[in-house]
Amino acid sequence: MSSQPNCENCPVHHKGNLVRLGIDMDKVDYVVALAGNPNTGKSTVFNNLTGLRQHTGNWPGKTVGRAEGAFSFADDNYKIVDLPGTYSLLSTSTDEEVARNFILFGRPDVTVIVADATRLERNLNLVLQILEITDRAILCLNLMDEAKRNHVEIDVRELTRELGIPVIPTSARRRDGMDELVAMIAEVASGKYICKPHRVRNHTPQLKHAIDTLSKKLRETYPGLPNAEWVALRLLEGDQSIIEALQNGILDGLVENETPIAI
């Protein structure tokens, strides 16, 4: 892991896809996704970051609610989108599909994953799934006051090393750690902090060969395609939304389409 500068002021979000997802991108420097399991205090983190600078609506074509807001830090404007609370990104429910597709298609500059410090093991499943999609993430280890009250101790430094991403302990209800979280969002968004996320690699030799073969072809057909190995695995599993995204060029921004992405 390194905290050395990579590039200054280098947003990586996909503006076209974000607009098609219904996000207002006017005067936005960086985009932040807020993800996490239900009941982790995610909404409290969101409210602390945005204050009154927020509004709600629905995702295009869905009854799933969406909250988005804004905050400023060091002369940069940040758009933050509160994704539905989910336990996984396997796209088995509308909430999971919405959350996954925003991270995948929108390519936010930072994904903040809010986890319950008192139930960390349960929350890590979603953390590891998100790290399969993006290498710009922060773990917001929330409810640290509850963890302390229940005599739960977490080695934050070791967790940071194991996950390969920043881990910021917070107690959002008391605003503890929120300043540190905002500062780290800026570090990751600007590329000053380079994440090297842990990714699970426990595939069988046969599956690994299939993933490697398909991902090579994907890179040849779609130059610049992010997360080719992850996309290859989803294709092998018959994930229809990923198949359609590749066919339509949405994933790599190859086709300009003014209609909203079906998520």
Side-chain angles (χ1 to χ4, degrees), residues 2-257:
S2 170
S3 57
Q4 296 301 314
N6 180 25
C7 60
E8 294 287 347
N9 195 28
C10 51
V12 299
H13 61 260
H14 195 300
K15 184 176 180 178
N17 281 349
L18 288 168
V19 170
R20 287 190 285 272
L21 286 167
I23 306 298
D24 180 5
M25 292 297 294
D26 185 41
K27 298 179 181 179
V28 174
D29 296 306
Y30 298 107
V31 176
V32 181
L34 195 63
N37 289 180
N39 304 314
T40 58
K42 184 163 65 68
S43 294
T44 306
V45 173
F46 176 78
N47 291 335
N48 279 340
L49 290 173
T50 61
L52 297 176
R53 300 175 62 184
Q54 58 178 263
H55 66 273
T56 59
N58 286 342
W59 292 91
K62 303 292 181 183
T63 57
V64 177
R66 178 182 71 209
E68 54 181 277
F71 66 92
S72 299
F73 181 79
D75 298 324
D76 287 320
N77 296 319
Y78 293 79
K79 165 79 70 173
I80 182 165
V81 179
D82 188 10
L83 302 178
T86 64
Y87 293 103
S88 78
L89 296 183
L90 297 180
S91 194
T92 57
S93 71
T94 303
D95 285 356
E96 291 177 4
E97 188 176 5
V98 165
R100 187 192 73 173
N101 287 359
F102 184 85
I103 298 171
L104 183 63
F105 298 140
R107 302 184 201 172
D109 300 291
V110 187
T111 297
V112 176
I113 313 163
V114 182
D116 180 350
T118 68
R119 297 174 174 85
L120 181 57
E121 185 176 0
R122 179 189 302 176
N123 286 223
L124 283 176
N125 179 52
L126 179 65
V127 173
L128 294 175
Q129 288 185 27
I130 290 175
L131 294 184
E132 290 289 327
I133 301 177
T134 180
D135 60 1
R136 287 182 172 232
I138 298 169
L139 177 59
C140 173
L141 198 57
N142 196 33
L143 301 175
M144 288 294 290
D145 51 339
E146 293 290 336
K148 183 177 181 180
R149 189 175 299 115
N150 289 282
H151 308 290
V152 175
E153 296 185 5
I154 299 173
D155 189 333
V156 173
R157 179 175 296 182
E158 179 64 15
L159 187 60
T160 299
R161 189 186 70 81
E162 289 288 340
L163 292 176
I165 61 173
V167 178
I168 307 297
T170 66
S171 298
R173 285 174 297 192
R174 299 162 52 177
R175 289 198 56 82
D176 292 346
M178 297 307 299
D179 290 342
E180 291 81 359
L181 178 60
V182 170
M184 185 53 69
I185 288 173
E187 291 276 306
V188 175
S190 65
K192 292 179 180 178
Y193 190 109
I194 303 171
C195 302
K196 295 184 179 179
H198 170 81
R199 286 173 176 158
V200 178
R201 293 289 182 265
N202 57 356
H203 305 312
T204 65
Q206 295 85 351
L207 180 56
K208 183 179 184 304
H209 175 72
I211 293 172
D212 290 345
T213 301
L214 183 53
S215 61
K216 180 180 178 180
K217 292 181 178 179
L218 285 169
R219 289 192 181 95
E220 292 172 352
T221 307
Y222 301 91
L225 176 68
N227 314 308
E229 289 83 3
W230 184 89
V231 173
L233 180 58
R234 298 283 83 77
L235 290 172
L236 290 169
E237 292 179 345
D239 189 314
Q240 193 59 38
S241 65
I242 302 301
I243 293 172
E244 293 175 359
L246 283 173
Q247 290 174 338
N248 297 333
I250 293 173
L251 191 60
D252 202 32
L254 299 176
V255 174
E256 289 299 327
N257 182 359

